[in-house]
Amino acid sequence: MTTVVIVGAGLGGLRAAESLRANGFVGEITVIGDEPHMPYNRPPLSKEALKSGLDMSTLEFRRKASVADVTWQLGSAVVACDLSARTITLADGSIVGFDALVAASGIRPRDFNIPGPRNGRHFLRAAADAHALREQLVPGARIVILGSGFIGCEVAATARQLGCEVDIVTLDPVPMYRPLGTILGAGMQAHHEEHGVRFHFGRSITEFTGHDRVTGAVLDDDSSLEADVVLEAVGSVPNTQWLAGNNIDLSDGILTDSSLRVVGSPAPFVAVGDVARYENALFPGVARRIEHWNLPTDTGKRAGATLATLLTGGQPDQTPFAPMPSFWSDQYHCKVQSFGLPGIADEIVIVGGEPSGECVAEYRRDGALVGVIGINSTSALVPYRTALMAG
Amino acid sequence: MSIKIDVDMTKCQHYGQCCFEAPTVFELDADGKLNVLTHEVDEDMREAVEAAADVCPMQAITLTDI
């Protein structure tokens, strides 16, 4: 029987499996995941689950009935792959064969290997990470957060709500600088500062102090901060190391064509979610890897259709792939929501409201709308999404 | 067969993603609050309401075959 192996048991892996079934694939599907959990929703890990506790039964995605016969091989890391031989190697040395492959291996937090003790330093990606961090966020605990992206800012907001002292160290001039830009970033900075978060902009951490456990951080201006717990949240790295040696483009994630088929693979092979780099027809000319929550679903559906077609000898749909990138973030009483790619804009125009309150901002590149961000303005974004979809 | 649509309003954060997938079932009102326009649809709406349930960031939408 034809076997599809899906590497990665997150949202993208789940959606790819569901799509294979929806597109008529009746062979075997095995999903291999390095975490011990069925696919679950990660965004709450920096917000309500960090605040109120992790209940995996509510975090797990509901799975469609069509994937009831899928084999889930959890707690198994994939360490190598031979696309010509059509095999993957697991961490325990066992080898698994496949007829077709899906890469849904996601990303991991970037580790700068800053000198100092490891104990007390955290990253946040998996449920186990959130569980470990949560145990440290007791009232009065001093947390130093390196990085002011979404995860750093969301954890800062949660930590303040839990009664912790929060310092954020970032090279950027405002929080969430890359996605939001200066104006909305400054607006969100005001919310954080109202809630008692201290920012150290334009700074990095050169070392952590302490013997058995971290007790502080030394910044690059030789100032220092005391810390009971540290979160390192400076970007992420795509998990592609298991594909090394296959002569495919892994320069930033896995390069695919617009049907999510991996370019240059000798075996039927698609990539989905955070690890896939592809050209979006809404923002043409550049293949991008985008880590927004909605894209594992969009890419998983398309990739499943592609693979099901390839396995029956057909030609995949070559219709341009044009999913609408979208992100959201909850911090305090602020709901930040985006459509498009605001990060590629060269001009930001506030079209309504105030950046420190409710507002809508248009993001333009060469004069054309490429994105929109609203703070507590969901309804006002709807016509912008429609305009962005129309291109 | 019909499909029953339940939205857990204790989970819903009114992101409105469902409205784009199934605009005849879900809409945001002027205040940005989600309205569920119908709680039961026919089979021909399956793809749309499944897509709406899939894209809900809070996973607040439950579909049941009835």
Side-chain angles (χ1 to χ4, degrees):
Chain A
M1 190 185 275
T2 305
T3 298
V4 173
V5 167
I6 299 176
V7 177
L11 179 55
L14 172 62
R15 294 291 184 245
E18 290 173 344
S19 175
L20 279 161
R21 288 288 184 249
N23 286 282
F25 177 71
V26 294
E28 282 186 29
I29 300 176
T30 298
V31 184
I32 302 176
D34 57 354
E35 291 179 64
H37 305 294
M38 294 296 278
Y40 64 91
N41 206 15
R42 295 187 194 277
L45 299 183
S46 54
K47 311 182 199 66
E48 54 269 29
L50 190 60
K51 193 165 131 192
S52 312
L54 277 77
D55 176 358
M56 293 311 295
S57 66
T58 61
L59 290 178
E60 270 182 21
F61 291 108
R62 282 184 294 273
R63 300 181 297 276
K64 294 191 177 66
S66 61
V67 295
D69 61 351
V70 165
T71 301
W72 299 87
Q73 194 168 335
L74 303 174
S76 296
V78 175
V79 296
C81 173
D82 184 333
L83 290 173
S84 298
R86 300 191 184 189
T87 58
I88 55 169
T89 306
L90 305 182
D92 66 3
S94 59
I95 289 176
V96 178
F98 61 82
D99 297 295
L101 185 66
V102 179
S105 45
I107 54 177
R108 63 184 183 280
R110 189 180 294 277
D111 184 352
F112 289 97
N113 289 307
I114 298 168
R118 279 276 165 181
N119 195 7
R121 286 160 64 179
H122 297 256
F123 295 91
L124 182 54
R125 171 68 181 167
D129 301 331
H131 187 73
L133 179 59
R134 177 176 156 70
E135 289 188 336
Q136 304 299 318
L137 297 183
V138 294
R142 297 162 300 181
I143 179 170
V144 169
I145 298 173
L146 178 61
S148 61
F150 288 116
I151 289 176
C153 287
E154 289 170 358
V155 170
T158 303
R160 286 300 297 151
Q161 288 161 18
L162 290 169
C164 303
E165 295 291 316
V166 180
D167 286 275
I168 296 182
V169 179
T170 175
L171 282 170
D172 291 336
V174 292
M176 297 166 281
Y177 175 59
R178 268 200 298 173
L180 301 190
T182 309
I183 305 171
L184 262 58
M188 289 305 296
Q189 176 188 342
H191 287 293
H192 279 279
E193 288 178 339
E194 266 169 37
H195 285 85
V197 172
R198 294 181 291 266
F199 286 97
H200 307 268
F201 293 112
R203 296 265 78 94
S204 60
I205 291 176
T206 53
E207 69 170 316
F208 291 103
T209 52
H211 294 290
D212 300 336
R213 181 186 168 84
V214 70
T215 56
V218 179
L219 276 53
D220 60 352
D221 61 355
D222 290 329
S223 64
S224 58
L225 295 168
E226 294 185 328
D228 301 305
V229 56
V230 167
L231 174 71
E232 298 180 57
V234 186
S236 47
V237 182
N239 291 324
T240 56
Q241 63 279 19
W242 59 282
L243 286 163
N246 281 289
N247 199 28
I248 55 174
D249 185 341
L250 303 175
S251 53
D252 177 25
I254 306 165
L255 181 65
T256 77
D257 67 14
S258 64
S259 68
L260 282 316
R261 193 175 179 182
V262 176
V263 174
S265 171
F269 182 20
V270 291
V272 303
D274 293 345
V275 80
R277 179 162 56 96
Y278 53 89
E279 183 176 343
N280 185 327
L282 295 175
F283 308 95
V286 181
R288 294 185 176 86
R289 201 175 60 73
I290 302 174
E291 299 170 1
H292 292 348
W293 182 88
N294 67 315
L295 293 168
T297 292
D298 291 327
T299 54
K301 285 183 177 178
R302 177 78 176 231
T306 295
L307 210 51
T309 305
L310 286 171
L311 288 170
T312 52
Q315 278 303 312
D317 181 3
Q318 291 301 317
T319 314
F321 184 48
M324 176 57 66
S326 177
F327 69 71
W328 82 93
S329 181
D330 282 305
Q331 296 163 36
Y332 313 108
H333 56 282
C334 296
K335 191 186 297 294
V336 181
Q337 196 166 11
S338 160
F339 292 105
L341 289 182
I344 66 171
D346 55 26
E347 180 190 10
I348 304 172
V349 181
I350 304 290
V351 289
E354 290 291 328
S356 55
E358 288 184 9
C359 81
V360 174
E362 287 184 16
Y363 290 70
R364 301 175 188 156
R365 182 184 174 96
D366 299 329
L369 186 72
V370 290
V372 63
I373 298 180
I375 299 178
N376 294 335
S377 303
T378 303
S379 292
L381 301 184
V382 173
Y384 287 99
R385 184 187 186 277
T386 306
L388 286 163
M389 284 298 281
Chain B
M1 196 182 281
S2 320
I3 302 161
K4 183 163 156 283
I5 299 157
D6 289 301
V7 180
D8 183 343
M9 295 310 290
T10 66
K11 285 187 181 174
C12 174
Q13 293 290 320
H14 313 278
Y15 284 107
Q17 300 282 6
C18 51
C19 306
F20 304 115
E21 302 294 340
T24 59
V25 180
F26 306 99
E27 73 167 15
L28 284 179
D29 68 20
D31 296 329
K33 299 292 178 208
L34 183 75
N35 285 335
V36 184
L37 301 173
T38 173
H39 288 272
E40 192 178 321
V41 295
D42 290 335
E43 185 65 29
D44 61 353
M45 283 292 293
R46 178 176 296 277
E47 196 172 331
V49 293
E50 281 188 349
D54 285 350
V55 299
C56 173
M58 307 312 294
Q59 296 288 289
I61 302 171
T62 307
L63 306 176
T64 315
D65 289 339
I66 51 173

